[in-house]
Amino acid sequence: MNAEEIKVGCFQVVIAVLLAINYVIVAMSHALPVFHNYTPKFYCQEKNGTRRTHGCRELVNASVAINYTSGLEESADSNLCFGDYQFATEFGENSVVTEWGLICEKRYLTFLGPAVYYVGLLMGAWIAGLLSDRIGRLPVQAICLYTQGTMAVAMYVVQNYPTFLALRGLQGVFVQGLQNSTYILSLELFPAKARTFVALVMQIAWAIGLMLLAGLSYAIPDWRILQLAVSVPTAITVLYIWILPESPRWLLAKGKTTEADMAVERIAKYNVCCTRSRKENKAKPETNAPENTTPVKPERKSRVSCADLKKSKTDSEEKEEAINLLTKVADAAQQKVQKTSLRGISENLENKIPKTEPTPKPTQCENEEKEQEKEKGKEKEKGSAPSSSKSHRKSKSISQPAGNQRLSTKNTYDIVELRTPAKKEMLNNDEEKATVKIEEKSNAQTDQELAQLFKSKLMRKHSVIMIIQWLTSSMAFCVFMALIPNFPANRHVTFALGGILEIATYVFLYFVLSRYGRRVPISAYQSVSGVICIAIAAIIILTEPTFGIDLAKTILLILGREVVMSVTFIVYLYTIEIYPTVVRGTCLGLCTVFAKIGSLCTPHVISSEKYFPVTVALIIVGIFSLVSGALALLLPETADNVLPDAVKDCELAAKRRDKKSNENLNNEDTHADEDLSEREVLRARLFSEDWVDAGNGILVNFTENKSSE
C-alpha cells in the first residue's frame, strides 16, 4: 500500500490537529522574550527622602540619561541616586527586567537573553535534524517536547539570572528540534495534494499560539506563573503522544518495509471510521431487490462426511491438537524416565546391601529376558507376517536392557532440556544482530545520501539558493520588527492583533500557493520585500519626519512584515518538498542554522546607528531580497509532486522535466516547420500565373480544368 494512495480521513485530520498543538507550544516559547524583557517606567527612590528622579543616572559626571521607556528627561543639576531603582508597574506586573533590575548599566543583559536563546535554536536545528534522519521523526519529537517542558518548569524556581540564561538556552535547543521534527512529520504523513493545507494548519497554529500568549500574559502579570501556564500544553500531550504514528516515508527510505506497511495500514484502518457510516447509508438503497426479479432457489444442504469435517477444521484447532499430543508424549517420557531412574537406584542399593537369603529370587531383568525369548519364538512361528506399529514400538523398547534404556532416555531428556534455552538464546542473538545490522545500514545510508547530496551539482545549486532564501527572509524580518514603532495601545492587544493579521495573511497565501505553485510566489514575495525595504530607506533619506510620512512608513513596515511572514511560510514548505526523505531533517536544520545566524546579526547591526545607519541596512537587505527573488526562479516547481526519498529521485525528476521541455520545444519546432511549409506553398500559389485569388482566401487554378478538357 502506498502512502500517496491513502485518502485523507478523520484519523489524519486528528493527527494534524494534535501536531498543531506542538506548534502552539513552539510559538509561545519563541515569543516569550517580548514579555520577559518588558521594561516599565522606573525611578530612583532615595533612602533618606521622598524625592523621586526618573531615568538612569551616570555616577561619573552626574548627568542624567534619557529614560527611553518613560520618555522623561531630568535636569543635569539633580542629585545622585543614593537609593534603589523602583518600577512604576501596573497591576503588579513582574518581568525578568524588574526582578533582577536589568536597567541602565545592566541594560545589555536584556539583549543577552534573546541572543543565548537564538544560539540554542541554532544548535537545536542542526542536532535535531541529524537525529531525526537517524532515529526517526517521532522519537526526536517526543524527546524535544518533554525536555523543553521540563526546562520551562525549571525556570519557575530559578533564583539568579545566569541560571535563567542557561536554562533558556537549553530550552531553545529542544524547542527548535520540536518545531522541525513536527513540521517534517506532519507533511510526510499526508499525500501531495494535502501538503499545502497541512502547512496552512501549522502556520495558523503558530498564530493561535501568539494570540494565546497575549491573553495569558494579560491575565497573568507574573512571568514565573506565566512560564508555568505556557508549559500546560506540554502536559496535555501526554494523553495523545502514543497515538501519533511514525512517518511511513522515513521507514520505507530506511528499509524498514514491515514497519512502514504497518503504519500505512494503521492509518488506512482508522481513516475508515469516519467513512463507514457514509458507506452504510449508500449501501442501503442498493440492497433493495427489484420487483420483477425471479426468486433464487436456495442451495440444498448436503450431508457432511468425516472427511469434510476434517477439512473444515481451522488452523487454531489443529494447533491445539498438536500441542495436546506433544504434552502427552512429554508426560509419558517423563514417567518412563522416573521409572528407569527408580530402577537404577534400587539396583544400586541391592548391590551394596549384603544378601541374607540363601537362594536369590529372580530379578525383574531376568523376567524381562524370559519374556523376550517367548516373544522371539512367537515371531519365528509367524514368519514374515508384518507386525503392527504398537508391537513394533514394544519390541524396540524391550529389546534393550533396563540399564541401557534408562541411560538412553535420560540422556535424550537431558539433551532436549539443555538445548532448548540455547536455541532461544541463539535466536535472540540473531535477532539482535539483525536489528544492529539494519541500524548500521540505515546510518550508512544517511551518510551516503549526504555525500551524494554534496556531490550532486543539482542539489548543491538548490541548497545554495534555499540558504539564500532563508538568510534573506530572516534578515528582512528582523529589520521590519526592529523599525515598527510602539503603538500607544496596550501591548497585549497589539500582539493579539498581529496574530489575527497573520492568520488572514496565511489564508490568502494558501489560495495563492494552490493556484500558482511555489516558485513564482516566493520570487514575487521576495521581490516585494526588497522593494519595500528600498522604499522605506528612500522615505527616511528624502523626506522630513511628519505625521503623514510616519504613517506611510508604518504602513509599509507592517506590510513588509506580513510579506516576510509569507516568505517564511513558503520557504519552510519548499525546503521539505525539495530535499529527499533520508536527509530532509539534516537539510532543514542546515537552512534553519543560516536563518538564525541572520536573526542574531541583524539586530546588533541596527542598534549601532552611530557606526552603521539604518538606511544602509535597509538598502542592503532590499538588494539581497531582490537577488534572492531572481534566484528563486531557478528552483523546480514542487507543487502536487510526490516527496523524493533519495537524491536519485531528485535527479530523475529533473531529467523528466528536461525531457518534457525538450519534447515541447520539438513539438513547437515541428508545428513551426509545418506552418512555414504551408506559408511557402500559399506564397508560391499567390505569385504564380496559374492560381487566381477568387476572394475570401479561396485560390482557383484554371489551368487544371483546361488540361482536363
Side-chain angles (χ1 to χ4, degrees), residues 331-343 405-406 409-414:
D331 293 337
Q334 288 179 359
Q335 289 177 1
K336 288 181 179 179
V337 169
Q338 290 176 358
K339 288 179 181 179
T340 53
S341 62
L342 290 173
R343 288 177 184 174
Q405 185 181 1
R406 176 177 60 83
T409 52
K410 188 175 181 180
N411 290 331
T412 54
Y413 183 74
D414 290 339

Side-chain angles (χ1 to χ4, degrees), residues 18-19 21-22 25-26 137-155 167 170-179 181-182 230-244:
L18 296 178
L19 290 173
I21 296 174
N22 296 346
I25 297 169
V26 172
R137 283 74 164 107
L138 194 61
V140 173
Q141 178 185 343
I143 292 168
C144 294
L145 179 64
Y146 296 114
T147 308
Q148 67 84 26
T150 305
M151 297 295 173
V153 175
M155 279 189 283
L167 289 175
L170 288 174
Q171 188 185 19
V173 172
F174 295 102
V175 166
Q176 190 60 48
L178 176 63
Q179 182 180 2
S181 60
T182 300
V230 168
S231 61
V232 169
T234 305
I236 295 173
T237 57
V238 179
L239 301 174
Y240 67 82
I241 190 67
W242 54 274
I243 301 175
L244 301 177

Side-chain angles (χ1 to χ4, degrees), residues 164-275:
F164 171 80
L165 290 177
L167 289 175
R168 186 69 178 152
L170 288 174
Q171 188 185 19
V173 172
F174 295 102
V175 166
Q176 190 60 48
L178 176 63
Q179 182 180 2
N180 287 359
S181 60
T182 300
Y183 197 82
I184 293 171
L185 180 62
S186 62
L187 292 183
E188 287 181 350
L189 287 173
F190 284 83
K193 295 181 180 179
R195 282 201 303 265
T196 309
F197 183 75
V198 175
L200 173 66
V201 170
M202 293 294 130
Q203 296 299 328
I204 289 175
W206 178 281
I208 290 171
L210 299 181
M211 293 188 291
L212 183 61
L213 180 62
L216 289 173
S217 62
Y218 180 77
I220 304 170
D222 191 357
W223 74 271
R224 292 181 181 272
I225 303 174
L226 178 63
Q227 194 73 46
L228 284 178
V230 168
S231 61
V232 169
T234 305
I236 295 173
T237 57
V238 179
L239 301 174
Y240 67 82
I241 190 67
W242 54 274
I243 301 175
L244 301 177
E246 181 58 275
S247 171
R249 297 182 185 279
W250 180 81
L251 293 171
L252 192 62
K254 287 291 186 179
K256 301 177 181 180
T257 54
T258 305
E259 296 178 4
D261 291 337
M262 291 173 65
V264 173
E265 289 175 0
R266 180 186 175 192
I267 294 170
K269 177 182 177 182
Y270 289 114
N271 279 339
V272 178
C273 297
C274 61
T275 57

Side-chain angles (χ1 to χ4, degrees), residues 190-483:
F190 284 83
K193 295 181 180 179
R195 282 201 303 265
T196 309
F197 183 75
V198 175
L200 173 66
V201 170
M202 293 294 130
Q203 296 299 328
I204 289 175
W206 178 281
I208 290 171
L210 299 181
M211 293 188 291
L212 183 61
L213 180 62
L216 289 173
S217 62
Y218 180 77
I220 304 170
D222 191 357
W223 74 271
R224 292 181 181 272
I225 303 174
L226 178 63
Q227 194 73 46
L228 284 178
V230 168
S231 61
V232 169
T234 305
I236 295 173
T237 57
V238 179
L239 301 174
Y240 67 82
I241 190 67
W242 54 274
I243 301 175
L244 301 177
E246 181 58 275
S247 171
R249 297 182 185 279
W250 180 81
L251 293 171
L252 192 62
K254 287 291 186 179
K256 301 177 181 180
T257 54
T258 305
E259 296 178 4
D261 291 337
M262 291 173 65
V264 173
E265 289 175 0
R266 180 186 175 192
I267 294 170
K269 177 182 177 182
Y270 289 114
N271 279 339
V272 178
C273 297
C274 61
T275 57
R276 186 178 296 171
S277 59
R278 296 179 184 176
K279 289 181 180 179
E280 289 177 356
N281 294 329
K282 290 180 181 179
K284 283 181 181 179
E286 294 177 359
T287 53
N288 295 329
E291 296 178 358
N292 297 326
T293 56
T294 57
V296 180
K297 186 176 180 181
E299 295 181 358
R300 185 176 179 182
K301 294 181 179 180
S302 60
R303 295 180 180 178
V304 181
S305 62
C306 297
D308 294 331
L309 284 173
K310 290 180 181 178
K311 289 180 181 179
S312 64
K313 287 184 179 179
T314 59
D315 295 335
S316 61
E317 292 177 353
E318 292 178 356
K319 288 179 180 178
E320 290 179 358
E321 290 180 358
I323 290 166
N324 293 329
L325 289 172
L326 289 172
T327 52
K328 289 179 181 179
V329 172
D331 293 337
Q334 288 179 359
Q335 289 177 1
K336 288 181 179 179
V337 169
Q338 290 176 358
K339 288 179 181 179
T340 53
S341 62
L342 290 173
R343 288 177 184 174
I345 292 167
S346 62
E347 288 175 359
N348 293 328
L349 290 172
E350 288 175 356
N351 292 327
K352 291 179 181 179
I353 297 171
K355 296 180 181 179
T356 55
E357 294 181 0
T359 56
K361 293 182 179 179
T363 59
Q364 190 173 359
C365 296
E366 293 176 356
N367 295 329
E368 289 179 357
E369 289 176 358
K370 291 179 181 180
E371 291 176 0
Q372 288 178 4
E373 290 175 358
K374 290 180 181 179
E375 287 180 0
K376 285 180 182 179
K378 290 180 181 179
E379 287 177 358
K380 288 179 181 179
E381 291 176 358
K382 288 180 181 179
S384 63
S387 62
S388 63
S389 61
K390 291 183 180 179
S391 62
H392 186 65
R393 289 175 187 171
K394 287 181 181 179
S395 64
K396 283 185 177 180
S397 60
I398 296 167
S399 61
Q400 295 177 352
N404 294 333
Q405 185 181 1
R406 176 177 60 83
L407 292 171
S408 63
T409 52
K410 188 175 181 180
N411 290 331
T412 54
Y413 183 74
D414 290 339
I415 288 166
V416 172
E417 189 69 19
L418 290 171
R419 285 184 181 179
T420 48
K423 288 181 180 179
K424 290 180 180 178
E425 289 177 359
M426 291 289 290
L427 291 172
N428 293 330
N429 293 329
D430 293 338
E431 291 176 356
E432 290 177 358
K433 290 179 181 178
T435 53
V436 169
K437 286 181 180 179
I438 290 170
E439 291 177 356
E440 290 177 354
K441 286 181 181 179
S442 62
N443 294 332
Q445 186 180 4
T446 54
D447 297 336
Q448 291 176 1
E449 289 292 330
L450 281 173
Q452 291 179 3
L453 183 70
F454 289 109
K455 290 179 182 178
S456 175
K457 294 181 180 179
L458 179 69
M459 297 308 297
R460 278 185 295 179
K461 181 182 75 172
H462 293 170
S463 299
V464 171
I465 295 173
M466 292 307 301
I467 287 170
I468 292 171
Q469 304 296 324
W470 280 84
L471 183 62
T472 307
S473 62
S474 63
M475 292 171 63
F477 180 75
C478 290
V479 168
F480 290 136
M481 289 300 294
L483 296 179

